[in-house]
Amino acid sequence: MNATTDEVVAVLEKHDFSIGGATFDGGTVSALHWGITDASGKTAILEFDHGAVRIYDPGDKLAMTNDPEWPKMNAILDYWDKIGGTHALPGTVSSPDRCVRANFFAHHVEKVNDPDLAVAICKSVIVPSCVPYTYLIEGEPNVSSTQWRSYSDIRGRRYFFDIVTNPGYYYIDLNKCNLRKGASVMKFNTSENTDVFGDVTLMLKPSAPFTPMY
């Protein structure tokens, strides 16, 4: 286990492991960005490309989406930073456009100390950067409608989950969980609990460990 972004980066730089995954939508290979942020706010962006691990410091960038590769995305964000977004922002559901919108709003919302308000502000930034539910573009499997969103209060150790078809969003309070080695695997069944909101930590139930698809 690692406690900081630097520790995770040190492990990844050794690259003494491999990552593989299943394809989807008739053979599409997932090409995702992974973000790591610790309680200090330090972030690293990861790309796994044909067995290579690429690690980037995002600098002052506050958003990411799945494609294109981070250097190209960074260039797009730099371009829009110069234009500004007060009077015009790209409005399509493409990955770069959504990233530009999220990055602009993240830089221009108020920074607050209230963790509940901070999560609400974070949600208000992410929602207009999502693909509307049930909206699809034929022939573009990398653009799919948003089915859920998650938010993390890293300092408060609360993980929020927001399923778009549910009336509210809820969270797990990790401070109330037994995370010691050997503790039981606990699960919250999202398909059986569709009308809950707030703290659902006490609704966690023992479960078998997660089984990968591949």
Side-chain angles (χ1 to χ4, degrees):
M1 298 293 290
N2 304 114
T4 68
T5 297
D6 287 339
E7 291 177 7
V8 174
V9 168
V11 170
L12 293 173
E13 286 179 337
K14 294 178 182 178
H15 198 198
D16 53 355
F17 59 90
S18 61
I19 293 180
T23 61
F24 63 98
D25 292 327
T28 302
V29 178
S30 177
L32 307 177
H33 289 114
W34 298 80
I36 299 170
T37 304
D38 60 25
S40 74
K42 186 167 185 178
T43 299
I45 291 178
L46 315 174
E47 291 178 346
F48 297 92
D49 182 18
H50 297 89
V53 181
R54 296 187 173 86
I55 304 172
Y56 303 98
D57 180 349
D60 64 346
K61 304 301 189 295
L62 299 178
M64 66 176 185
T65 48
N66 289 339
D67 63 90
E69 297 89 347
W70 181 251
K72 294 179 181 178
M73 180 69 80
N74 194 48
I76 293 171
L77 292 173
D78 284 340
Y79 169 80
W80 279 97
D81 282 345
K82 295 174 183 177
I83 292 178
T86 302
H87 300 293
L89 281 171
T92 77
V93 296
S94 71
S95 181
D97 281 11
R98 292 186 291 111
C99 189
V100 169
R101 292 198 298 274
N103 185 65
F104 175 80
F105 290 129
H107 275 284
H108 290 86
V109 293
E110 183 180 356
K111 306 300 186 291
V112 298
N113 292 320
D114 181 339
D116 292 326
L117 179 57
V119 171
I121 292 173
C122 181
K123 179 181 178 182
S124 73
V125 169
I126 292 176
V127 167
S129 304
C130 293
V131 180
Y133 190 60
T134 73
Y135 180 79
L136 299 172
I137 300 178
E138 186 175 353
E140 294 192 29
N142 59 315
V143 177
S144 59
S145 60
T146 298
Q147 300 182 47
W148 55 268
R149 296 172 285 262
S150 61
Y151 322 99
S152 179
D153 173 9
I154 299 175
R155 295 192 180 103
R157 304 182 74 193
R158 297 183 300 166
Y159 188 80
F160 294 77
F161 203 65
D162 177 16
I163 298 178
V164 299
T165 54
N166 287 6
Y169 64 100
Y170 46 86
Y171 67 90
I172 302 295
D173 188 341
L174 296 180
N175 297 294
K176 301 177 182 178
C177 296
N178 182 2
L179 303 178
R180 296 182 179 87
K181 185 177 181 179
S184 298
V185 174
M186 304 295 286
K187 175 182 177 180
F188 178 76
N189 194 318
T190 58
S191 61
E192 294 178 356
N193 300 280
T194 60
D195 59 352
V196 297
F197 58 90
D199 187 352
V200 298
T201 311
L202 296 181
M203 298 178 68
L204 292 169
K205 297 180 180 180
S207 172
F210 171 73
T211 301
M213 295 172 58
Y214 49 87

